Amino acid sequence: MATGRDRAVLQSIFHPDTPFAELSGEEEEEEEEEEGQAEDASDPRLVEEAKRLEIEGVRAAEARNLDGALESFGRAIQLLPERASAYNNRAQAFRLKGDVASALEDLETVLELSRGAGPVARQGFVQRGLIRRLEGREEEARRDFEEAARLGSSFARQQLVRMNPYAALCNQMLSEVMKQLRVRETPREEAGGRG
């Protein structure tokens, strides 16, 4: 498993328009607990090696070495094919490389292995929603963001607001009203400040 810092770096690389670290300490503990339960049946040495390979992949991605990242994530998957987080990380690297079909395939595996629950599924739904939105598949993207939001993603909730045409219209109108109020307030402040 990657460290909190590694996840934050990956988040900033793969999703530059998201908050630097969406995971709070509570969510991180939840993720560690969930992964620990899923790995109870696995050989601890294999788990440690898979985690090391994922961290290696994260560092390669941080250095913009996507081929190296894909290789590390692929080795982690070969070692423990039931470990969803490696597929999630590899999907991000595939997406950055422009291989959307492979990214979507890995995200389907993530959602299947995680059974659509928990932090890894939350991230998988967000990633798939982003890809679908870029492809113009708005309704499918909305469903993915709704699932991610249900699992606690603040980024997915932000995306749902942005996708809501009524919310966008209200935000635009509110922005215009605030701008007009600032324009009206400025002359008064200047006049009051001169006296």
Side-chain angles (χ1 to χ4, degrees):
M1 179 181 78
T3 66
R5 180 187 177 280
D6 291 335
R7 282 190 297 273
V9 168
L10 261 183
Q11 183 73 3
S12 70
I13 291 170
F14 295 132
H15 304 294
D17 59 341
T18 64
F20 182 64
E22 187 178 62
L23 288 177
S24 68
E26 185 178 301
E27 290 169 329
E28 192 171 312
E29 288 172 16
E30 174 189 319
E31 182 173 339
E32 287 172 5
E33 182 179 309
E34 182 178 291
E35 282 192 6
Q37 291 170 357
E39 294 165 352
D40 285 343
S42 299
D43 179 341
R45 292 172 301 201
L46 292 178
V47 172
E48 285 306 311
E49 179 62 11
K51 288 178 181 180
R52 186 193 68 72
L53 287 166
E54 280 191 71
I55 291 169
E56 184 180 287
V58 168
R59 290 189 177 133
E62 183 179 17
R64 304 277 192 223
N65 177 2
L66 296 178
D67 290 328
L70 287 169
E71 181 181 330
S72 294
F73 296 140
R75 288 182 14 225
I77 289 168
Q78 286 176 343
L79 202 58
L80 282 176
E82 68 278 1
R83 188 175 160 77
S85 66
Y87 290 97
N88 215 349
N89 288 325
R90 189 172 73 174
Q92 292 178 29
F94 275 135
R95 188 173 64 84
L96 270 183
K97 219 172 145 101
D99 186 351
V100 173
S102 294
L104 287 170
E105 187 177 314
D106 273 0
L107 292 171
E108 292 301 324
T109 303
V110 166
L111 297 173
E112 180 182 316
L113 290 173
S114 66
R115 294 181 183 90
V120 177
R122 176 177 58 227
Q123 187 178 14
F125 280 121
V126 166
Q127 284 194 80
R128 193 172 70 178
L130 287 170
I131 290 171
R132 287 176 166 174
R133 190 153 189 220
L134 288 172
E135 292 179 333
R137 297 161 56 188
E138 294 290 315
E139 194 51 44
E140 291 170 279
R142 181 183 323 281
R143 283 194 299 268
D144 282 339
F145 290 138
E146 286 171 351
E147 284 299 314
R150 184 183 60 77
L151 293 171
S153 172
S154 58
F155 176 77
R157 285 191 291 274
Q158 292 169 1
Q159 291 302 305
L160 287 168
V161 169
R162 288 181 184 162
M163 292 174 79
N164 181 334
Y166 299 111
L169 182 61
C170 289
N171 285 338
Q172 181 183 4
M173 289 170 49
L174 182 60
S175 176
E176 289 175 20
V177 167
M178 295 303 288
K179 198 182 306 179
Q180 290 173 0
L181 285 174
R182 275 189 232 120
V183 169
R184 289 180 188 160
E185 293 287 320
T186 305
R188 286 186 201 158
E189 289 173 3
E190 289 176 4
R194 291 182 190 165

